[in-house]
Amino acid sequence: MDHDGHGTVADLPPFTLGRGLEFSGEPFFLAGCLLALALYGWGVLRLRRRGDSWPVGRTVAFALGVLTVALVMCTALNDYGMVLFSVHMVQHMVISMLSPILVLLGAPVTLALRALPAAGRGRRGPRETLVAVLHSHYMRAITHPLFTIPMFIASLYALYFTPLFDFLMGSKPGHIAMMVHFLAVGLVFFWPIMGVDPGPNRPGYVMRMLELFAAMPFHAFFGIALMMASAPMVSTYADPPASLGVDALADQHAAGGIAWAFSEIPSVLVLIALVFQWYFSEQRQARRSDRAADRDGDRELAAYNAYLSSLQTRGR
């Protein structure tokens, strides 16, 4: 498909789901997806060869996460997304909210730490470098809520409602860079909230839920703003090609509806994951407490009973 001088795809036929899902093979994201699947597969095989297990559910979640990236970036959805605001919004929501959640549920950092060999005393290999990055001040800063929440919000308002979006959409590299940004922001935002992989910021479960719900309403407000607008708000999509047979304002309203709906879906998925994590964490803590009680003859309970007895004696 040919691009005109502004980077938009010209002479596309009217959008249908079948046409949108045709494989396009966008090279940058195709190579990235294949590399991610290959590295993850290598890690799982390495663990199994030495007799260690790795949950199948994590592998499935990671693969689905990568495949959702390929779905919106390596098909004709990527071409239609250059000229249809609604299709672009599907790309944005999937790659910034759905894909990161699935990828993080796959625990790729945990897998890397278990699969990469130690370099030995006094040496620094890939595993040691990864550990150093995880403990760095930089990583602590970019995974802190004071950074992740404003960045997550700015990826909507400071991008779409300023000339920056039109500038990035003016070239293929700019468009690719924007999509990489969406994916990176989603990963950084959801990483400490999901809490599956180790990281420098590991808030409690209540705080994670607060972080999640602090940002989600802004997606809904953004979608409502697009749906209520009486004129196109983004120049890139103000004049869609005639071959598409689409009204720009109607397409923008559809994009707003997609942004609004997607603000709820990831919230529910992450909330369910957090509730399960919290439950299993409490179960593990209870088992550890039971084992400790078995080892010391329930010394803590005996000490507490003795304390109550002493209070009763003093009261007489």
Side-chain angles (χ1 to χ4, degrees):
M1 298 180 181
D2 298 327
H3 291 67
D4 65 19
H6 299 287
T8 59
V9 182
D11 301 325
L12 281 169
F15 177 80
T16 63
L17 184 59
R19 288 170 179 161
L21 294 179
E22 291 177 0
F23 179 72
S24 66
E26 197 287 316
F28 180 87
F29 274 96
L30 180 61
C33 290
L34 291 176
L35 179 61
L37 291 174
L39 290 174
Y40 195 93
W42 171 84
V44 173
L45 289 176
R46 182 174 174 82
L47 290 184
R48 289 185 176 177
R49 284 173 181 170
R50 71 185 190 205
D52 294 336
S53 61
W54 182 255
V56 175
R58 288 185 175 181
T59 303
V60 172
F62 184 85
L64 287 175
V66 174
L67 290 176
T68 55
V69 174
L71 178 69
V72 296
M73 294 306 303
C74 299
T75 64
L77 289 176
N78 193 39
D79 296 316
Y80 279 99
M82 297 293 290
V83 289
L84 286 177
F85 202 177
S86 55
V87 177
H88 168 85
M89 195 55 65
V90 170
Q91 289 182 282
H92 180 172
M93 295 297 108
V94 168
I95 207 171
S96 69
M97 302 184 75
L98 180 60
S99 302
I101 292 172
L102 292 171
V103 166
L104 291 168
L105 285 174
V109 175
T110 301
L111 177 62
L113 291 173
R114 290 184 59 185
L116 289 171
R121 183 176 298 177
R123 298 180 180 180
R124 184 162 181 165
R127 188 180 188 280
E128 289 71 24
T129 300
L130 177 58
V131 171
V133 170
L134 290 174
H135 289 88
S136 66
H137 293 296
Y138 170 78
M139 192 60 66
R140 184 177 296 276
I142 68 169
T143 57
H144 194 279
L146 291 178
F147 177 86
T148 58
I149 294 176
M151 180 60 68
F152 197 68
I153 296 170
S155 292
L156 290 173
Y157 296 90
L159 182 63
Y160 288 95
F161 297 158
T162 68
L164 180 59
F165 181 83
D166 295 321
F167 171 76
L168 292 173
M169 290 293 287
S171 67
K172 187 175 182 180
H175 179 237
I176 296 298
M178 179 169 55
M179 290 299 175
V180 171
H181 168 78
F182 290 153
L183 179 60
V185 168
L187 289 169
V188 169
F189 176 76
F190 287 109
W191 179 13
I193 293 176
M194 301 298 295
V196 178
D197 274 327
N201 291 302
R202 296 296 298 272
Y205 289 100
V206 174
M207 185 57 66
R208 293 185 205 176
M209 293 179 186
L210 291 176
E211 290 179 25
L212 174 66
F213 290 113
M216 290 305 108
F218 289 93
H219 266 265
F221 297 152
F222 172 76
I224 292 171
L226 293 178
M227 287 190 291
M228 294 183 65
S230 58
M233 301 177 67
V234 179
S235 298
T236 297
Y237 299 112
D239 187 24
S243 62
L244 295 174
V246 171
D247 176 71
L249 188 58
D251 184 49
Q252 177 176 287
H253 291 167
I258 291 166
W260 175 77
F262 250 95
S263 67
E264 305 298 328
I265 297 172
S267 300
V268 173
L269 291 176
V270 175
L271 188 60
I272 291 173
L274 286 177
V275 168
F276 273 97
Q277 288 180 37
W278 199 347
Y279 171 76
F280 288 120
S281 175
E282 292 295 324
Q283 292 294 309
R284 289 193 298 269
Q285 182 62 40
R287 287 195 294 269
R288 283 195 294 266
S289 298
D290 291 341
R291 288 195 296 267
D294 291 340
R295 287 195 301 269
D296 60 19
D298 221 346
R299 187 180 307 165
E300 184 177 348
L301 179 60
Y304 182 68
N305 288 333
Y307 171 70
L308 292 178
S309 179
S310 66
L311 292 179
Q312 186 176 7
T313 301
R314 292 175 188 172
R316 291 176 179 175

